[in-house]
Amino acid sequence: MKNRNNIILSTKDLSIGYRSRKEKLVIASGLDLGLYQGEMVSLMGINGIGKSTLLRTLTGVQKEISGKILIQGKELRSMQPNEIAKKISVVLTERIPSNNLTVYELIALGRQPYTNWLGSLSVKDKEQISFAIEQTGLENLLEKKCDSLSDGQLQRVMICRALAQNTEIIFLDEPTAHLDIQHKIEIFKILSNLAHQLGKSILISTHEIQFGVQMSDQLWLMTRDGILSGTPDEMIENNSINKIFDTGQIKFDKDYRQFRII
Amino acid sequence: MVLFLVFLINLSLGSVSIPPKDVFLGLFGGGSSSESWNYIILNFRLPKALTAILVGSGLSISGLLMQTLFKNPLAGPFVLGISSGASLGVALLILGSSVIGGSFILLGHNQIAVAIAASLGAFFVLSIVMILANSVKNTMAILIIGLMFGSFTAAIISVLAYFSNAEDLQQYLFWSFGSLGNLSWKELSVFTGVFFLGILLVTPNIKALNSLLLGENYAKSLGLNLSRSRNSILLSTSILTGVITAFSGPIAFIGLAVPHITKMVFNTSNHKVLIPAVAIFGAIIMLISDTIAQLPTSEYVLPINAITSMFGAPVVIWLLIRKRKIS
């Protein structure tokens, strides 16, 4: 399903940051990024470099300072919230405030952009929900309340909800934080399956360099001088990957394919 | 069904008790066996029971909306400062008349004037809160603004109370106890009209309320226009609580507790189920509270606010201990 010809999301000379009444704080500028169909992209960078700001800007929640964001050729700024919700779904780091929802109810909320004013589920909505449940292997958890789930299960449920939203793009903000290594791998496997089998464009912000290098098609490395992008092999070969960190104390070891303390 | 039963019981009990059979006949048949019973039912108890239903369901729905919007199980219909606004209006009318003297005195003892003063007060606070709500991004800030209004108006009321005479103070105090009675059919029809306007504004927000169960950011990612939905939820709550406070005074507890009781009984968070359920539960609990407040067969009537809290609070604590979860 990988299709380098089909660009889903692109940015043109994009500047991101914060704008207050008096001044603007630019976090990154001159960004020309491309997210293609069927690709999994890992966005990596140190804490505070602006990964979340970039994600918020790309989903239209935060206004860009300048430049353009295009989704399948259409400018994000000109799209209605409901139109964006049919193109981009998200998995965030925040906890959901209501824990009395069942897993099925939570997943079903993913259909909101398509349902009528009362939010009733049609046959097609239910099909999409069943499909998402199948893809994420949640059949046995559907009647459970969300507060009785483990962190790993909850994260799978949130991914399932995003999948039920049936969007071309899925953004995930640190989806594997708080998880043990087994569940980290499980999440990365599910996501790579969604990209490679279903043709979704997936952008993950993550600190899991090892898994990012191993499992993603592209890396976006966010540094103080902007974003470097390329396949994991390219980024390792030309040493770009070392620019993630601005300390001299660690270095990427090409043989072990991970960072090591010098 | 339960609602109907409680409704009949409420009509039949009071300082004069009327057998439920005669109540039924008085309502639907050609009349009960006594002329004075007919009079009591139609002009006194029926409007009171209907008021109880409107107040109970309206406050409960408002409480539910606020708890979901603010993601706070302690939020209630009055967190926006509506009741403080209404209280201020009434305090200015009743207490202000003794402070300033003169023309207010005539107005100060009239039911309609009190309702108008309360509406104006509620509307005044509502407008300010809505204007401020649009200039703050954080929903929690609205909660704090509402609280600040509460303290501010309470301060003004204390100043007024300090300077006013005992008789007016007592009248104000009685209003603040809340009362379901004394509404004429004409007043009740105005009440009902505004009430249904409020309900009409609630229904388009059911979907938005459900998406807010995931938090504001997820709700936005599902295509929710947050500020528009927030305004619409605030407006419908304000209309409902505003009109209820105007006609019945600040009725405590129901709006906070009924949503919790309903959620525990139905064990769901879906607003499509919760809103009607909360309305029915609110009406039932209000009718029961009113029946108790009448102290059947005695001449005394207790303040409705005392009953709602006295019997409601232990019920909520009991439910909490039994089931633990509330949100």
Side-chain angles (χ1 to χ4, degrees), chain B residues 268-289:
Chain B
T268 179
S269 303
N270 185 349
H271 289 81
K272 233 190 318 183
V273 179
L274 277 183
I275 287 180
V278 147
I280 292 170
F281 268 57
I284 291 173
I285 289 170
M286 206 63 209
L287 281 170
I288 295 174
S289 305

Side-chain angles (χ1 to χ4, degrees), chain A residues 81 85 90-92 94 96-101 105 109 112-113 115-118 120 145 147 158 161 165, chain B residues 71 203-204 206-207 210-215 217-218 220-224 263 267-270 272 325 327:
Chain A
V90 295
V91 174
L92 306 168
E94 65 188 43
I96 49 169
S98 166
N99 46 29
N100 202 26
L101 285 167
E105 283 173 323
L109 283 174
Q112 277 220 348
T115 53
N116 64 4
W117 67 279
L118 257 177
S120 317
K145 296 278 178 189
D147 63 346
M158 295 318 284
R161 190 209 59 84
Q165 206 173 325
Chain B
K71 301 182 278 274
T203 45
I206 290 176
K207 193 172 161 181
N210 279 337
S211 71
L212 281 170
L213 292 173
L214 299 178
N217 288 327
Y218 274 118
K220 275 194 225 167
S221 85
L222 286 166
L224 179 79
K263 280 179 204 166
N267 201 16
T268 179
S269 303
N270 185 349
K272 233 190 318 183
K325 271 171 260 163
S327 61

